[in-house]
Each structure stands twice: as C-alpha cells, then as structure tokens.
Amino acid sequence: MAANSNYKSAPRKKSKRERRNKIIVYIMIILMLVSTLTAGLAFII
C-alpha cells in the first residue's frame, strides 16, 4: 500500500506559485549577471 501512494504523488503538477517563484529567481540571476557585466565594463572604461 505504501508503494502505491508514493507512486501516485510523484508526477504531481507544480502550482502556479512555484512556477512564478522559479521564473522570478531566474530573472534575478540574469539581472545580477547583467549588472556585474556592466559594472566591469564601467570599470574598464
């Protein structure tokens, strides 16, 4: 019985909130990379 319930819970869909949080994290990482690149360019110039 325990194996059956574990199998059913595995392919659960992600909620909208989880998906939104993931997108926000990715956007923040991209913005951080862009800001470090522009800071590096400003330092060189």
Side-chain angles (χ1 to χ4, degrees), residues 3-21:
N4 243 355
S5 63
N6 285 343
Y7 180 72
K8 284 182 179 177
S9 66
R12 89 183 223 289
K13 270 178 74 176
K14 289 188 176 178
S15 64
K16 286 184 180 179
R17 190 192 296 158
E18 285 179 16
R19 210 175 300 135
R20 198 183 307 133
N21 283 351

Side-chain angles (χ1 to χ4, degrees), residues 14-34:
K14 289 188 176 178
S15 64
K16 286 184 180 179
R17 190 192 296 158
E18 285 179 16
R19 210 175 300 135
R20 198 183 307 133
N21 283 351
K22 203 174 196 181
I23 291 169
I24 289 170
V25 167
Y26 281 130
I27 289 171
M28 287 178 75
I29 291 170
I30 290 166
L31 288 174
M32 202 167 58
L33 290 171
V34 169

